[in-house]
């Protein structure tokens, strides 16, 4: 709506394919739910026991809620809002696990969030899918989904390791790890060891959750 263009029916084909995939994903989820029975509630004990892939999907769900809320309410960029929900649904299809009730609950959370976020744009299909998921209310009357800030916290970070100011490695490290642990991760990395060689380590500077700079000569 922000640009002038010549209408072409082919322009809606991608959107149509996405909505068909969304419909198929929701009904596949419902079939799996019938086999496992009632879903569990995503309370704190259940969330703590989730596998990393399920935590990643929850993080993507709440990142999407945060982005789409800003796209609608602040930036008024509806195309990027839709693209963000498409990314979320791609992650659902790639990473969702339907083998346990907890995993299905994570998938349900993502699907319900996606439907609520799309409802202002495609209300009819979203209403049908909302009812299919067991709700009795009109989707357009539902409360907008809230962002769970705890779900946004990443389990790992990318640690930049420098030797004498030059980047020599990028390593995965636990989020919010203490300085001594980050230092140990950097110094024990084989690639970093090669760049240190026979030099004497004079100083190690650690910036939490960001980088380790090793000064050696």
């Amino acid at each position: 709506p922000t640009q002038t263009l010549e209408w072409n029916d082919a322009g809606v084909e991608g959107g149509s394919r996405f909505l068909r995939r969304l419909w198929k994903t929701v009904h596949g989820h419902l079939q799996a739910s019938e086999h496992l029975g009632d879903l569990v509630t995503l309370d704190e004990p259940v969330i703590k026991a989730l596998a990393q892939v399920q935590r990643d999907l929850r993080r993507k769900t709440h990142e999407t809620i945060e982005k789409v809320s800003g796209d609608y309410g602040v930036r008024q960029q509806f195309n990027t809002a839709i693209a963000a929900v498409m990314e979320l649904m791609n992650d659902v299809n790639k990473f969702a696990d339907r083998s346990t009730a907890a995993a299905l609950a994570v998938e349900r959370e993502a699907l319900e969030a996606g439907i609520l976020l799309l409802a202002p744009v495609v209300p009819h299909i979203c209403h049908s899918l909302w009812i299919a998921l067991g709700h009795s209310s009109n989707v357009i009357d539902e409360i907008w989904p809230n962002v769970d800030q705890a779900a946004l916290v990443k389990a790992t970070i990318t640690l930049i390791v420098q030797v004498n100011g030059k980047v020599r490695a990028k390593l995965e490290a636990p989020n919010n790890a203490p300085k001594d642990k980050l230092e140990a991760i950097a110094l024990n990395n084989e690639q970093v060891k090669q760049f240190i060689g026979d030099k004497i380590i004079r100083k190690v500077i650690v910036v939490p959750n960001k980088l380790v700079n090793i000064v050696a000569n």
Side-chain angles (χ1 to χ4, degrees):
T2 59
Q3 297 179 4
T4 301
L5 55 84
E6 183 177 348
W7 177 258
N8 186 335
D9 288 347
V12 300
E13 291 177 359
S16 177
R17 286 194 298 271
F18 165 65
L19 292 176
R20 288 198 296 270
R21 288 198 303 272
L22 175 62
W23 184 276
K24 183 178 179 181
T25 300
V26 169
H27 285 276
H29 169 86
L30 290 171
Q31 289 178 357
S33 299
E34 289 177 3
H35 292 299
L36 283 178
D38 294 336
L39 299 178
V40 298
T41 301
L42 286 174
D43 53 20
E44 188 173 349
V46 172
I47 291 172
K48 285 184 176 180
L50 292 175
Q52 187 58 52
V53 67
Q54 295 157 3
R55 290 173 179 269
D56 290 343
L57 182 56
R58 285 204 78 233
R59 186 176 69 253
K60 183 65 174 180
T61 296
H62 289 274
E63 286 175 347
T64 304
I65 294 172
E66 185 174 54
K67 177 173 179 12
V68 173
S69 298
D71 284 343
Y72 281 159
V74 179
R75 295 176 289 274
Q76 296 187 342
Q77 295 177 338
F78 309 115
N79 57 329
T80 57
I82 296 168
V85 180
M86 287 181 171
E87 286 184 14
L88 173 61
M89 291 302 111
N90 286 339
D91 279 9
V92 168
N93 287 316
K94 279 194 291 186
F95 301 119
D97 179 6
R98 294 173 177 171
S99 62
T100 66
L104 272 175
V106 172
E107 184 182 46
R108 174 69 64 97
E109 181 185 39
L111 291 173
E112 290 190 346
I115 289 168
L116 289 171
L117 297 175
L118 286 174
V121 180
V122 282
H124 299 90
I125 189 172
C126 288
H127 176 76
S128 295
L129 293 174
W130 189 250
I131 297 300
L133 286 170
H135 300 281
S136 58
S137 59
N138 293 325
V139 68
I140 207 69
D141 295 327
E142 281 294 316
I143 296 173
W144 193 251
N146 291 319
V147 177
D148 181 355
Q149 295 296 331
L152 298 179
V153 178
K154 294 183 178 181
T156 61
I157 54 97
T158 300
L159 182 68
I160 306 298
V161 182
Q162 298 177 335
V163 178
N164 294 329
K166 293 184 179 180
V167 176
R168 298 305 189 185
K170 295 182 180 180
L171 311 175
E172 288 296 306
N175 193 12
N176 294 322
K179 287 186 176 182
D180 57 345
K181 185 167 184 177
L182 295 177
E183 181 178 331
I185 291 172
L187 293 175
N188 288 324
N189 179 263
E190 291 301 323
Q191 185 175 343
V192 174
K193 287 180 180 179
Q194 289 178 7
F195 283 103
I196 295 174
D198 297 330
K199 300 183 183 74
I200 298 174
I201 297 174
R202 303 295 183 181
K203 192 175 184 180
V204 178
I205 303 167
V206 179
V207 180
N209 277 357
K210 290 186 179 180
L211 69 85
V212 175
N213 185 27
I214 302 164
V215 179
N217 56 31

